[in-house]
Amino acid sequence: MEDVMHLMCAARGCPNRWTVDAGDGHLCSRHAWKPAKEWPSITEDIKAAPVQTMSAVEYRKVSDEEKLAILRKVEEMFSHSNHKRWAHALREREARGERLTPYQRSAWKEALGVRE
Ligand SMILES: [Zn+2]
């Protein structure tokens, strides 16, 4: 369960950790409000200009209350009822035509008991 994939933005190649629960995936604030077809170019922007992501909004001081909320969220992600949500999210992304890495593909298939 130390796989950092669970903490990262669901947009492929995005170096940010997720901050927004988009329902079918966890996204960083740069990707969360944009259609998926714009994600690759947004990812390129983030990589090309990482300083841009150092906005006051994203890097504001996090209160203890917010930290607790984040911890609960992480706990929930790993809890029994939700522990395969990431796998469903990956499967949906693949179904939408996104190319997953071989590792992502075999990970969700294994988690959901799908045979190659
Ligand atoms: Zn992102």
Side-chain angles (χ1 to χ4, degrees):
M1 280 303 184
E2 71 278 9
D3 192 341
V4 296
M5 200 173 83
H6 301 305
L7 300 174
M8 303 307 289
C9 171
R12 194 162 66 95
C14 180
N16 292 336
R17 293 196 169 202
W18 67 266
T19 55
V20 179
D21 186 344
D24 63 348
H26 295 113
L27 298 166
C28 71
S29 57
R30 296 286 299 276
H31 282 112
W33 320 115
K34 304 283 184 186
K37 65 175 163 49
E38 287 177 25
W39 288 0
S41 65
I42 292 166
T43 302
E44 288 313 302
D45 285 352
I46 293 168
K47 285 181 174 169
V51 173
Q52 273 188 2
T53 67
M54 299 275 285
S55 72
V57 174
E58 272 180 277
Y59 286 83
R60 77 199 146 80
K61 204 169 175 308
V62 178
S63 72
D64 286 348
E65 222 166 76
E66 285 173 302
K67 282 179 198 161
L68 257 180
I70 291 165
L71 278 175
R72 289 214 189 88
K73 192 98 188 165
V74 171
E75 226 170 61
E76 189 189 299
M77 280 173 69
F78 291 127
S79 75
H80 183 70
S81 59
N82 272 318
H83 76 294
K84 283 176 181 169
R85 249 180 97 182
W86 63 269
H88 288 286
L90 279 177
R91 180 166 70 175
E92 278 169 32
R93 282 166 59 186
E94 190 170 32
R96 284 199 296 258
E98 187 172 335
R99 252 177 58 189
L100 304 178
T101 65
Y103 171 75
Q104 287 174 315
R105 195 177 306 118
S106 64
W108 78 251
K109 285 188 172 165
E110 193 184 311
L112 300 183
V114 176
R115 304 218 177 265
E116 295 273 2

